[in-house]
Amino acid sequence: MAESETNRFFRKLFGFSLGPIINAGLGFISVPITTWFIVPEELGRASMFTTAHSLIGMFVYLGLDSAYQRHYHEVDDHGQLLFQALWPPTVLVAAISTVLLAFYPFVAHALYGITDFLPVLLLAVYLIVHIGMHYSQYILLMRQKSKAYSAGQVLEKVSRVSMLVAFMLLFERTFRSVILASITAQIITSTYFFLVSRSHWRLHFRFDWRLQRDMFRFGLPLVPAAALSWIFNSIDKIAIRTWSDFDQIGIYAGAFKLVAALAIVRKSFGSFWPPLALRWHSNEAPNHHYQRVTDTLMSVMATMYVFIVLVRNVVYVILSPAYASSAGIVPFLLFIPLMATVSETTVLGITFSKKTHLHIVVTAVAAVINVVGNALLVPTYGAIGAAISTGISFNVFFWMRTWLSARQWPVLSFQLHVLNSVLMAAMASATLISHPSGRAIEAVLAIVTLGLNAPNLWRLSLRLYRTIRKRDT
């Protein structure tokens, strides 16, 4: 990969990151709005809406969205490829939405503890609208349209915040308003993404069973992995719902408002990196470029982790006092976006080898650990117990993913990842110490972590500076 390709990498990364960076600022503004307008119990109900559509969204695509991405550089007829990836999820979503509406009393009570048709209807609408937005985003990602993609991310956040304020003031200050704001923003953003990608929505309505078979062969093993992944990602909220109450779910959801800073990086990099890594692989790029990316990303995420943990108590001063206890949960929940993001660079061996069945092994082990951890900790410790269990299981998820990938593609070194993982785990544990010595231990570990990652951050800053300067000239 020539120097020009390196510059292109950082230029594209900057372009794809611009929207999420702006979203982080807007998200920070929305945190006090949400926590002052709505009590933890209602926010807890709203989070169950997110849990539900995340569950359905994880398996409804049958892995065909990932197959579309994996085959994009191998198939010339992209209209045919899109059709093969689109029609099965569309049929499945229509069937699921029909079932949800037919049995809405049961669904509403299971999710929200009340019988209400509106939130179930909105869930069905959300699933249908999401299909169009999902594949429109994939089109932009595969074509490396960073500006259009980032603009859509900003539009989604602006719409969500503005709609949230409008519904809270004009409708009611309950979970229904949060859901209404979410679905309205989804419709606005889906319309935008479709319009900017419409020239590539030229579907070829012809069944290519050979291509469909290849796509299912790649994608279907991701379905049980997705189901296990949902258990892995959602058992914390289910456990709190089962063994605690909506107030604790709301405290837990409040902690995620601060964790969202790292989650935005996860979404940005997770969208940008896989298509680029596949293109690099097809062009036989040198292995040291992958090493540079994974080391730099690890340093960036570890530094953000340190910063957020150190300022967590200060940030929660601006929130409603009802959410003050959320600060203690943050250090453990940060492992969710952190480990998931970095693993996108360490899991390439599984992707390149097309051995997607290994994802089942990874998520199964992590899910079992999370289920057991939540069962042991949540009944006694509530939200903090769920956070500890989830943080541990995401570390297991990362290292299982990394180890199995390295067996397929043993070209990367993970010494930096080991050191950072140990330091961050120690820092999270130190936050549980109520004695002032706990704060001193946090400070020492923070300094060591920042010192460890300073060289990578300095090199990254220089590259970004040169890239931005080149754009200006």
Side-chain angles (χ1 to χ4, degrees):
M1 186 174 65
E3 180 64 25
S4 60
E5 182 67 14
T6 301
N7 291 337
R8 182 182 179 186
F9 169 82
F10 283 103
R11 186 171 66 255
K12 287 293 184 181
L13 177 59
F14 181 79
F16 276 102
S17 301
L18 188 59
I21 290 172
I22 296 174
N23 277 359
L26 294 172
F28 189 78
I29 295 173
S30 70
V31 171
I33 293 175
T34 303
T35 56
W36 280 102
F37 269 112
I38 189 170
V39 298
E41 181 179 358
E42 291 298 314
L43 186 60
R45 286 193 170 95
S47 73
M48 295 306 294
F49 173 84
T50 304
T51 300
H53 73 66
S54 297
L55 163 63
I56 299 171
M58 279 189 173
F59 72 84
V60 78
Y61 291 99
L62 303 174
L64 294 176
D65 50 351
S66 297
Y68 171 80
Q69 179 175 271
R70 181 63 180 86
H71 289 81
Y72 190 86
H73 296 292
E74 300 177 357
V75 176
D76 294 329
D77 190 345
H78 293 152
Q80 175 67 11
L81 181 66
L82 180 59
F83 173 70
Q84 302 298 146
L86 181 64
W87 75 264
T90 302
V91 173
L92 190 54
V93 164
I96 291 174
S97 297
T98 301
V99 173
L100 289 175
L101 296 176
F103 297 95
Y104 84 87
F106 171 79
V107 175
H109 192 271
L111 291 177
Y112 314 113
I114 59 175
T115 301
D116 191 343
F117 179 72
L118 178 61
V120 179
L121 173 63
L122 293 176
L123 176 60
V125 173
Y126 188 98
L127 295 172
I128 296 170
V129 173
H130 188 266
I131 292 180
M133 187 179 83
H134 190 62
Y135 280 106
S136 294
Q137 287 179 318
Y138 264 76
I139 290 172
L140 296 180
L141 290 171
M142 298 311 297
R143 297 187 64 81
Q144 296 286 288
K145 301 295 184 181
S146 58
K147 293 181 180 179
Y149 181 82
S150 289
Q153 299 297 306
V154 174
L155 175 63
E156 193 276 337
K157 180 60 71 173
V158 170
S159 301
R160 189 179 296 270
V161 173
S162 58
M163 289 298 104
L164 178 61
V165 173
F167 281 114
M168 287 289 184
L169 293 177
L170 302 177
F171 182 50
E172 58 184 28
R173 298 184 182 185
T174 69
F175 78 102
R176 297 179 187 85
S177 291
V178 179
I179 297 175
L180 282 168
S182 178
I183 187 63
T184 304
Q186 177 87 346
I187 293 172
I188 294 171
T189 310
S190 297
T191 302
Y192 163 81
F193 275 116
F194 177 77
L195 290 175
V196 297
S197 64
R198 63 187 182 280
S199 61
H200 303 286
W201 274 86
R202 297 171 182 172
L203 301 178
H204 296 168
F205 295 93
R206 178 176 58 83
F207 292 98
D208 184 336
W209 296 115
R210 183 175 180 178
L211 176 59
Q212 192 81 71
R213 182 195 62 196
D214 291 343
M215 294 178 72
F216 272 124
R217 184 176 295 170
F218 180 88
L220 281 179
L222 297 174
V223 176
L228 290 168
S229 180
W230 180 84
I231 296 174
F232 174 38
N233 284 279
S234 302
I235 189 61
D236 46 2
K237 290 176 280 293
I238 295 175
I240 299 173
R241 173 75 173 89
T242 303
W243 290 303
S244 192
D245 52 37
F246 280 112
D247 186 71
Q248 284 291 297
I249 296 178
I251 296 297
Y252 199 73
F256 269 106
K257 296 297 181 182
L258 188 53
V259 174
L262 275 183
I264 288 172
V265 178
R266 174 188 179 183
K267 185 175 183 179
S268 173
F269 190 83
S271 300
F272 161 76
W273 171 244
L276 182 60
L278 289 170
R279 183 168 66 82
W280 280 7
H281 184 63
S282 65
N283 294 336
E284 299 182 351
N287 293 333
H288 69 269
H289 293 300
Y290 299 99
Q291 185 71 57
R292 181 186 302 165
V293 171
T294 190
D295 285 349
T296 302
L297 182 64
M298 183 77 251
S299 293
V300 170
M301 299 299 283
T303 301
M304 292 184 68
Y305 177 89
V306 169
F307 176 75
I308 295 174
V309 170
L310 291 179
V311 304
R312 68 190 187 280
N313 290 311
V314 176
V315 171
Y316 275 93
V317 170
I318 68 175
L319 302 183
S320 168
Y323 291 87
S325 58
S326 294
I329 301 173
V330 168
F332 298 94
L333 293 186
L334 285 172
F335 285 113
I336 299 175
L338 191 154
M339 291 305 188
T341 304
V342 180
S343 73
E344 291 295 328
T345 62
T346 65
V347 77
L348 295 175
I350 296 176
T351 303
F352 293 160
S353 65
K354 296 185 178 181
K355 294 184 178 180
T356 51
H357 63 278
L358 293 176
H359 289 298
I360 301 175
V361 178
V362 174
T363 49
V365 172
V368 169
I369 291 174
N370 208 10
V371 169
V372 173
N374 274 277
L376 292 175
L377 297 176
V378 171
T380 302
Y381 301 105
I384 184 62
I388 293 172
S389 175
T390 301
I392 292 173
S393 62
F394 263 89
N395 275 276
V396 173
F397 169 80
F398 171 80
W399 285 110
M400 281 285 296
R401 224 179 181 200
T402 300
W403 176 65
L404 290 175
S405 175
R407 295 187 64 184
Q408 308 302 318
W409 193 54
V411 301
L412 300 179
S413 171
F414 303 110
Q415 293 179 356
L416 182 68
H417 302 64
V418 172
L419 292 173
N420 274 298
S421 296
V422 172
L423 288 169
M424 289 185 293
M427 194 171 180
S429 300
T431 64
L432 296 176
I433 303 174
S434 57
H435 191 272
S437 60
R439 308 291 81 77
I441 295 173
E442 283 184 48
V444 171
L445 291 171
I447 293 172
V448 174
T449 304
L450 293 176
L452 174 66
N453 294 287
N456 279 332
L457 295 176
W458 175 249
R459 284 190 289 268
L460 175 62
S461 299
L462 289 178
R463 293 192 187 103
L464 289 176
Y465 171 75
R466 291 166 184 162
T467 301
I468 295 171
R469 186 176 180 181
K470 186 175 182 179
R471 289 184 63 183
D472 293 338
T473 57

